[in-house]
Amino acid sequence: MTSDSLTLSDSTLRRPVSGLAAALSLAEINALIGTAHALADAARVATLDYFRRPGLAADNKETARFDPVTMGDRLSEQRMREILADRRPQDAILGEEFGTSTGTSGLTWVLDPIDGTRGFLTGSPTWGVLISLRDETGPVYGIIDQPHIGERFEGGFGLSRVAGPHGTQPLATRPERSLEEAFLYSTFPEIGSEAEYAAFRRVSQKAKLVRYGMDCYAYALLAAGQIDLVIEAGLQAYDIQAPMAVIRAAGGIVTSWDGGDCAQGGRVLAAANPGIHAAALELLNATA
């Protein structure tokens, strides 16, 4: 994307209906979008410095399971924070690796410097960089960036597009179809607790195709109209807020398993359209 292609006009801008972001001027929104792309550009360079590097090592952030963090994760977030300190010192930051920094503007940047570090560590190109902007109502804009492939999925303020090797294309989720015809993704087959796994299985056993292990890239595929559902549990705010913005801008729905807000993470159901969302929601909440 060129710098000109990042600029919104009054005819394409769609402000949120409520919250602080609803009062932003066109110039302020364009500055925020430009900052978001600067963050994604910096994260691309930082992550690709380490991706598929021989001998790439990882520390483990947990004791009960292997939850890796690499120098690529840390450098990516550090570079993004440096840009925000220069361009947007008034904004708050929530990042996976370096926590929360307070701000005064009412806007928060939510950063996942590498979503899918297990994939990153093993050379798979399905990890991504997640960047979102939120106000008190939730995420209003987001980017899912895959540096190795060179794809950037973007949604919010009237934008809904992917830029990559085949140029820039609009994003649009799939039209309605039966659950029996649906394509479903989840990162882990052993999703959550036993009860959560049982609920997931009620949906997955109905779906036409089930695939695993895609991390944030599955949400990008949903926004691009390639799949119908993503169902996960145990997510954090930085895992889901950018996908929420991108998918909603493309016409999809992202909620918790009870149909409520999932901006803080937890159990997430992302769906291409209201019909497939309702079908999956019913099975997730069915009694055994």
Side-chain angles (χ1 to χ4, degrees):
M1 293 182 183
T2 66
S3 58
D4 289 341
S5 71
L6 303 179
T7 303
L8 281 168
S9 65
D10 281 315
S11 62
T12 56
L13 172 63
R14 290 203 298 272
R15 290 183 178 85
V17 297
S18 63
L20 177 64
L24 294 171
S25 69
L26 178 62
E28 288 171 325
I29 289 171
N30 279 321
L32 290 165
I33 292 170
T35 296
H37 281 273
L39 300 180
D41 291 344
R44 276 194 181 187
V45 174
T47 54
L48 291 178
D49 278 348
Y50 288 92
F51 185 54
R52 295 183 178 173
R53 176 186 290 186
L56 176 64
D59 297 325
N60 188 11
K61 296 194 287 186
E62 295 190 20
T63 56
R65 61 170 186 159
F66 183 50
D67 185 16
V69 58
T70 71
M71 286 298 297
D73 296 81
R74 295 183 177 116
L75 182 61
S76 176
E77 185 169 327
Q78 180 183 342
R79 293 282 171 79
M80 289 192 283
R81 284 176 176 269
E82 288 170 356
I83 291 170
L84 290 173
D86 178 58
R87 292 194 180 197
R88 304 287 306 179
Q90 70 273 36
D91 297 341
I93 305 172
L94 170 61
E96 179 176 10
E97 304 307 334
F98 298 109
T100 300
S101 301
T102 59
T104 58
S105 69
L107 298 173
T108 301
W109 295 91
V110 183
L111 310 175
D112 192 341
I114 297 178
D115 182 86
T117 302
R118 294 171 183 83
F120 182 85
L121 186 61
T122 55
S124 168
T126 56
W127 52 278
V129 178
L130 301 182
I131 299 162
S132 66
L133 181 71
R134 77 179 188 205
D135 64 11
E136 74 277 18
T137 68
V140 295
Y141 172 87
I143 284 176
I144 304 171
D145 193 69
Q146 210 309 303
H148 182 70
I149 299 173
E151 287 182 323
R152 184 168 299 172
F153 302 80
E154 176 185 16
F157 295 124
L159 297 172
S160 182
R161 60 191 177 184
V162 54
H166 302 292
T168 300
Q169 305 292 333
L171 293 171
T173 55
R174 294 181 97 189
E176 290 198 10
R177 67 198 64 228
S178 69
L179 187 55
E180 288 75 14
E181 291 297 313
F183 298 161
L184 165 64
Y185 265 95
S186 187
T187 297
F188 302 113
E190 65 277 17
I191 186 169
S193 66
E194 288 186 13
E196 288 168 335
Y197 177 65
F200 172 77
R201 287 285 291 165
R202 289 195 291 272
V203 183
S204 66
Q205 288 173 347
K206 293 281 189 179
K208 183 174 186 177
L209 176 67
V210 183
R211 302 289 291 170
Y212 299 101
M214 299 291 281
D215 294 293
C216 65
Y217 200 71
Y219 296 99
L221 292 176
L222 194 150
Q226 297 296 310
I227 65 173
D228 302 279
L229 293 165
V230 182
I231 300 176
E232 300 195 290
L235 299 188
Q236 302 296 323
Y238 45 74
D239 295 317
I240 195 57
Q241 293 200 14
M244 285 176 69
V246 173
I247 290 170
R248 288 174 174 175
I253 300 170
V254 188
T255 71
S256 63
W257 287 15
D258 62 4
D261 180 64
C262 64
Q264 298 309 309
R267 301 171 175 176
V268 169
L269 168 61
N273 53 71
I276 202 75
H277 179 267
L281 199 65
E282 181 179 2
L283 287 174
L284 286 172
N285 292 282
T287 55

